[in-house]
Amino acid sequence: MVETKKSLGIGEMVRLGLVLVCYAVASCAVLAIVNTFTAPKIQENQIKKASGAMKNVFAEADDFSPVDETFIASNAAILLSDVYLAKKNGEVIGAVIQASGPTYDRAKIIVGLNTDFTVSGVQFLENTDSPGFGQKASDPNFVLPNGKTFYDQFTGKSAENEFLLNESFDAITGATITSRAVGELVNESCVALKKVLLDN
């Protein structure tokens, strides 16, 4: 005897559809509730991380004043935001900016620029590139042959000229795409920061 599958009747299909809708609504409700409780904490942690990064690139600053100006990068994929003047005893000693954009995946960095247009520092806030390759860019334990971490090699260098891969800064072996992209984030940041410092 050959066994045949029974086709579902309309009523059964409607019932299964309603069950799926109920599961979807319940899942959305749970996610909304979780988000309500976790979003403020996540935002608070992001602010703390960004504040710590600003202090890392400008340790001598005792105040960071927000700059109410929007900057558009020449590369539309790069977002420039959160610009601050770094001050010491009320005097402007530099400026910092947050830049995010595509690398091998994505990265978000803080860049600081002194009033003499030298880079005061670069710090990563996020780096979702490949472990063991692109993530070396933000790894404080990874050291290039020049003896510096990838991001520290920008510190002290003049931003008067564009940073060029393997000319003004070294690439990470096996992570050329990440290296070049981070260099572009730094370049775009410095262009905006130079304008901020000239205007202030």
Side-chain angles (χ1 to χ4, degrees):
M1 184 175 178
V2 178
E3 201 174 313
T4 56
K5 286 185 180 176
K6 275 201 214 169
S7 59
L8 294 175
I10 298 275
E12 184 66 9
M13 287 179 15
V14 169
R15 188 185 72 77
L16 289 174
L18 288 173
V19 169
L20 285 173
V21 167
C22 289
Y23 277 121
V25 168
S27 297
C28 288
V30 169
L31 286 172
I33 292 167
V34 169
N35 185 59
T36 301
F37 289 107
T38 59
K41 188 66 179 170
I42 290 169
Q43 187 175 15
E44 182 186 329
N45 288 339
Q46 287 173 339
I47 290 168
K48 279 183 185 173
K49 192 173 182 180
S51 297
M54 286 194 300
K55 198 67 181 158
N56 281 339
V57 299
F58 262 112
E60 64 274 28
D62 54 30
D63 181 45
F64 292 96
S65 303
V67 173
D68 188 21
E69 192 172 349
T70 302
F71 294 92
I72 307 295
S74 62
N75 178 342
I78 292 175
L79 175 66
L80 300 172
S81 63
D82 303 312
V83 186
Y84 291 85
L85 288 173
K87 297 181 179 179
K88 183 177 181 181
N89 300 324
E91 297 231 357
V92 174
I93 58 171
V96 296
I97 194 168
Q98 183 175 295
S100 59
T103 48
Y104 189 77
D105 188 33
R106 287 197 69 75
K108 185 185 290 184
I109 62 173
I110 293 274
V111 178
L113 197 67
N114 294 305
T115 51
D116 64 359
F117 294 167
T118 56
V119 176
S120 66
V122 174
Q123 287 286 302
F124 276 80
L125 295 176
E126 292 174 16
N127 179 3
T128 56
D129 284 9
S130 306
F133 293 98
Q135 284 191 7
K136 288 179 180 177
S138 56
D139 186 349
N141 299 311
F142 171 74
V143 179
L144 292 163
N146 65 22
K148 297 180 178 182
T149 62
F150 176 78
Y151 53 89
D152 273 341
Q153 66 181 321
F154 295 97
T155 304
K157 290 188 176 174
S158 173
E160 291 285 13
N161 298 308
E162 188 178 0
F163 291 109
L164 300 173
L165 185 67
N166 293 326
E167 289 183 34
S168 19
F169 69 98
D170 295 338
I172 298 166
T173 303
T176 306
I177 294 172
T178 297
S179 303
R180 181 177 285 109
V182 173
E184 191 172 357
L185 289 174
V186 174
N187 281 323
E188 293 283 2
S189 297
C190 289
V191 169
L193 290 175
K194 282 190 277 188
K195 186 178 184 308
V196 169
L197 292 173
L198 287 170
D199 292 347
N200 291 277

